Amino acid sequence: MLALVFAVFGNFSVLTAQPQQQKKPSVPIKSEGWRITYGDPKAKVKVEAFYPIGSGGHEFVLEFSRKLAEAFPGKVQVIVYDWTKPKAADEFSKRGLSCGCFIINGKMQVTHKGKTVAFMRRPEMTGWSFDLLKAVVAEEVNRVYGKGTKPEQKKASPVQKTGTGTSSNPKGVVEIFVPCGLAGPYGDLARMFQKQHPEIRLRPNVTGIIALLNQLEAGATPDIFLALGTFELTKLAEQNKFVEGSIVKCARIPLAVVVPKRNPAGIKRLEDLASPKVKRVITYPFKLSGGRGARQALEAAKIWDAVNPKIFTPKVPDQAKQLLKKGQADAGILYRTCLMESYIPDQPPVIEHDLIAVQTIPQNLYEPIYAAAVLVKGGKNLDAARKFLKFLQTPQARQVWIKWGFEPVEEVAKPSKLSSKTPLFIYAGAAFRPPLEEMGKEFERRYGVPVRFNFTGSNCLLAQIILSQQGDLFLPGEEFYVRQAQKRGYVLKSEVIGYFVPVILVRKGNPKNIRSLKDLANSGIKVGLGDPKACAIGEISEAILRKNGLTEVVHKNVVFRAMTAPELANALRLGGIDACINWDAIANYPWVRPAVEVITIPPEQNVITANPLAILKTTKNRQAAELFLQFALTDGQRILRRHGFTARNDLPPAYARALFTPTASASSPK
């Protein structure tokens, strides 16, 4: 009778029907619970594997690891880290990893036969095989030990069939980067598309969003990037990575308050996160759409200050859900779709039974987050890729997203009954939110035209306009961005509606006795500045420092770079910095004013910026856009003044000489 053998990898115990016939492993194996090592510890070639072994479905990792050590006895040691265990999870985070992978002598990517290869996630998902892994390890062994070293011959394992590979693109193949959170809907969409277009083959690279963004940053050129949120695209768009106007918004991704099934803190809604019972809240990194949306929702609900000290953001987004399942947080602000997803295309959804969404966060509390597709410049088959993007806009494709828990692209709120006209969409710098929101409500009440906004850093807004080829008006923090949009052919006309006057903001009482720009260079002063690559206040601050010869000495004290002007003020209010250069208007925000003092910058030292409101060539409602521009120049001026902004006719003559011009910009210094 044949022995029945079951390997239990968590503690590497082996159960067998006939213990006396148990086969001894041909290489040393040691299990420490959180990691398992195969082979000689003195081996000069180290292969490390990081996978959630404890969650099941990753037995291939242990099989591949054992086979590698057996193929190169004494020369290769393989270490498997089970990141479902705390120690291995810490190691996973230290490496900055975003998904399962094999690392060969510290290298995540290697060159094999002239091509870049990475062994990430499951072989069937990302198009690699054990034979390829073994061949690459053999090359590393030859490099370390000298040529002529051959692996011990064993019966070759069957080659896995995959939808990807390392061969060059044949005609009709479209390469697509797919974040693992979108693998489920992608699988259905790909199957439907290929029935309609059998002449086109889709080749997906399915892995974590951070890994995909890093690959694009490093120069990877798939044909399509399927984005888990469009905010992540802005930095890459600034680098001219995408085909202008090619973005297709497929579906909205709802945020939800997610808790462990037992819900020990008794959380029922977003506001409950401010309760003393809640000790830890987990969400995605703020540089991603999900984390950014979570922060916006907390700020809109006026509980950011109470919740912020409790927030934990893992470096790897995939870990957020796993840490919450393990009870390492009381609640999370996560994508609702993560409770029903598949990490492998064409596999049914996995329903999370250990987590529940107690509330879908109202859409009016944060900017919509979209799953979207965009063409990547340099892709080898963009003509075929355009057919897939066209398919994504069909009704049948939209139904796939709904099946997987996503929501339609259209706003949840119905248009106002006052008008059936197309809503105006305005891109605006984050600092303009208070007066513009009031203008929008007054304009809609008076003219019956709904107004929608996208508030963020000015540089990000310009990238979004270029990407989407949509929108009616553009109000950045300074005129440089309008001039850039003008050069690219996006502006029909513009008018200055006001000005930003930079000031120094310090904490109430001015504990560090800061009186001038020079004092920002004093020892022990923690300075915050805007990021010049993201927002207008960042560019203007750099121009001010250059003008006064203070760039190097002040930069030594900079401990924080903000993406937006309001974010900079919040850091000051919370005590993270001692001072910052910011707009005069920000100092007048109701939540900022009680916590700060204003130090004016003399006109001769200052750099003032105009606020031009531009009508975009992409407008679909030119008449309403013209009407809003005139409203901003008339009744809108009263609203600007009420919020402490400097209106069009209110700039003191002494400051007019310090008015910011394009030649003084951080992008084109004198």
Side-chain angles (χ1 to χ4, degrees):
M1 179 179 177
L2 295 174
L4 300 176
V5 181
F6 302 88
V8 183
F9 297 108
N11 56 14
F12 215 78
S13 61
V14 178
L15 306 178
T16 174
Q18 296 181 3
Q20 68 277 12
Q21 297 180 10
Q22 181 174 327
K23 184 179 178 181
K24 184 177 179 181
S26 60
V27 293
I29 301 176
K30 179 183 177 182
S31 173
E32 299 174 72
W34 62 284
R35 68 180 176 187
I36 304 167
T37 56
Y38 299 81
D40 190 342
K42 296 180 181 179
K44 296 180 181 178
V45 175
K46 305 286 185 184
V47 178
E48 298 167 290
F50 291 84
Y51 281 88
I53 305 299
S55 65
H58 295 87
E59 291 79 8
F60 77 91
V61 177
L62 302 177
E63 178 190 358
F64 286 9
S65 300
R66 176 181 55 80
K67 286 182 177 180
L68 280 178
E70 288 177 345
F72 305 93
K75 295 182 173 60
V76 172
Q77 184 191 41
V78 187
I79 306 171
V80 179
Y81 294 88
D82 178 3
W83 85 46
T84 64
K85 307 295 194 306
K87 282 188 177 181
D90 290 343
E91 190 67 27
F92 186 83
S93 295
K94 286 178 186 176
R95 304 294 183 92
L97 301 176
S98 61
C99 60
C101 64
F102 281 81
I103 300 174
I104 302 167
N105 265 358
K107 294 174 284 190
M108 285 188 64
Q109 291 187 338
V110 296
T111 301
H112 175 68
K113 295 184 178 179
K115 297 185 180 299
T116 300
V117 181
F119 300 98
M120 305 176 75
R121 304 197 73 85
R122 302 171 192 256
E124 67 271 18
M125 292 172 65
T126 50
W128 59 275
S129 66
F130 173 73
D131 289 339
L132 179 61
L133 175 62
K134 183 177 174 182
V136 170
V137 172
E139 290 177 354
E140 183 68 9
V141 169
N142 282 333
R143 186 187 70 80
V144 173
Y145 286 96
K147 292 185 178 180
T149 305
K150 294 183 179 180
E152 291 198 358
Q153 297 298 318
K154 292 191 176 288
K155 187 176 180 180
S157 58
V159 177
Q160 300 185 29
K161 293 182 180 180
T162 77
T164 68
T166 57
S167 60
S168 60
N169 276 0
K171 185 178 180 181
V173 173
V174 174
E175 300 236 16
I176 306 180
F177 275 13
V178 183
C180 52
L182 301 181
Y186 166 77
D188 288 353
L189 292 165
R191 187 173 62 254
M192 294 164 62
F193 175 77
Q194 295 196 277
K195 282 184 180 179
Q196 297 179 16
H197 297 276
E199 77 283 4
I200 298 174
R201 186 157 62 91
L202 302 179
R203 176 183 290 167
N205 177 359
V206 185
T207 188
I209 181 65
I210 297 292
L212 293 177
L213 291 170
N214 287 342
Q215 289 181 51
L216 287 170
E217 182 84 21
T221 55
D223 298 292
I224 295 172
F225 178 50
L226 196 58
L228 189 69
T230 53
F231 179 66
E232 289 86 334
L233 301 182
T234 54
K235 181 180 179 182
L236 294 164
E238 291 164 18
Q239 299 169 4
N240 205 26
K241 297 282 187 181
F242 303 123
V243 176
E244 290 190 16
S246 65
I247 192 168
V248 173
K249 293 178 181 177
C250 303
R252 281 194 301 111
I253 313 172
L255 286 173
V257 179
V258 179
V259 299
K261 189 175 182 179
R262 293 188 300 106
N263 194 9
I267 298 164
K268 296 181 180 178
R269 56 181 188 150
L270 183 68
E271 288 75 10
D272 292 341
L273 301 184
S275 166
K277 293 182 181 179
V278 178
K279 305 299 182 187
R280 200 180 201 197
V281 177
I282 199 164
T283 191
Y284 307 114
F286 295 135
K287 65 181 179 180
L288 301 180
S289 294
R292 181 169 177 263
R295 176 168 182 165
Q296 289 173 342
L298 292 169
E299 289 176 342
K302 303 188 186 308
I303 57 172
W304 169 254
D305 289 350
V307 179
N308 183 33
K310 309 176 186 181
I311 289 179
F312 173 71
T313 58
K315 291 182 180 178
V316 182
D318 295 353
Q319 282 189 299
K321 183 171 68 172
Q322 300 302 325
L323 293 172
L324 188 58
K325 286 172 68 174
K326 294 175 188 176
Q328 296 185 21
D330 300 298
I333 300 179
L334 308 177
Y335 291 139
R336 193 183 66 197
T337 53
C338 76
L339 301 185
M340 184 187 79
E341 61 184 349
S342 171
Y343 289 115
I344 306 176
D346 280 329
Q347 292 297 313
V350 176
I351 309 297
E352 286 293 346
H353 297 293
D354 298 326
L355 301 174
I356 55 173
V358 293
Q359 181 195 26
T360 298
I361 298 174
Q363 181 59 78
N364 66 329
L365 295 182
Y366 63 98
E367 292 175 24
I369 300 170
Y370 297 105
V374 63
L375 297 178
V376 180
K377 281 189 176 180
K380 297 177 178 62
N381 204 348
L382 294 182
D383 288 341
R386 285 186 176 91
K387 292 183 179 180
F388 185 68
L389 261 59
K390 186 175 181 180
F391 167 75
L392 291 177
Q393 300 173 65
T394 63
Q396 63 182 128
R398 296 190 189 106
Q399 288 302 311
V400 169
W401 294 99
I402 293 171
K403 165 192 166 184
W404 285 88
F406 293 78
E407 294 182 348
V409 170
E410 295 78 14
E411 295 289 343
V412 174
K414 294 181 180 179
S416 168
K417 292 181 180 179
L418 294 172
S419 173
S420 59
K421 296 178 182 177
T422 304
L424 281 177
F425 188 82
I426 303 176
Y427 297 93
F432 289 107
R433 182 186 287 270
L436 267 195
E437 286 185 336
E438 184 177 339
M439 281 191 207
K441 291 176 182 177
E442 176 64 21
F443 185 83
E444 183 170 348
R445 185 194 65 77
R446 185 177 302 183
Y447 299 107
V449 179
V451 183
R452 305 287 181 262
F453 297 101
N454 180 3
F455 293 107
T456 191
S458 297
N459 207 22
C460 295
L461 291 173
L462 180 56
Q464 290 177 22
I465 292 170
I466 293 168
L467 260 179
S468 68
Q469 305 277 294
Q470 295 176 353
D472 300 289
L473 294 119
F474 179 34
L475 180 61
E478 45 103 340
E479 60 185 340
F480 171 76
Y481 296 106
V482 169
R483 293 182 185 276
Q484 289 299 304
Q486 224 162 8
K487 287 180 181 177
R488 289 175 172 266
Y490 290 107
V491 174
L492 286 171
K493 63 184 293 187
S494 67
E495 293 282 354
V496 171
I497 66 168
Y499 299 93
F500 276 152
V501 178
V503 296
I504 300 169
L505 297 186
V506 298
R507 281 184 282 163
K508 197 72 174 178
N510 197 1
K512 295 297 179 75
N513 195 30
I514 297 166
R515 303 295 176 188
S516 67
L517 285 169
K518 289 183 178 180
D519 291 341
L520 298 180
N522 291 348
S523 177
I525 303 293
K526 293 185 292 184
V527 176
L529 296 176
D531 185 342
K533 294 181 179 179
C535 58
I537 188 58
E539 269 199 69
I540 297 299
S541 297
E542 294 301 325
I544 290 172
L545 295 178
R546 276 202 312 274
K547 183 176 183 178
N548 293 278
L550 295 171
T551 302
E552 290 187 14
V553 290
V554 171
H555 276 187
K556 291 177 181 178
N557 285 344
V558 174
V559 297
F560 176 67
R561 289 279 187 178
M563 298 291 288
T564 65
E567 183 182 342
L568 195 58
N570 199 46
L572 178 65
R573 192 167 60 94
L574 295 175
I577 55 178
D578 300 313
C580 66
I581 299 175
N582 214 326
W583 306 130
D584 55 344
I586 296 294
N588 291 315
Y589 275 24
W591 54 271
V592 176
R593 191 183 305 117
V596 305
E597 291 186 12
V598 176
I599 311 298
T600 59
I601 301 174
E604 66 276 10
Q605 297 177 13
N606 217 336
V607 177
I608 314 304
T609 176
N611 305 143
L613 177 60
I615 298 177
L616 297 171
K617 284 187 178 179
T618 54
T619 181
K620 294 181 179 179
N621 198 344
R622 174 71 184 269
Q623 185 179 0
E626 291 274 8
L627 197 59
F628 189 91
L629 177 57
Q630 291 307 311
F631 176 79
L633 290 168
T634 53
D635 289 358
Q637 298 292 292
R638 169 179 49 82
I639 295 172
L640 285 171
R641 292 187 185 101
R642 184 160 60 244
H643 287 273
F645 282 62
T646 301
R648 177 186 174 100
N649 296 321
D650 295 351
L651 186 68
Y655 281 102
R657 291 189 294 274
L659 189 63
F660 183 78
T661 60
T663 55
S665 79
S667 296
S668 40
K670 289 183 179 179

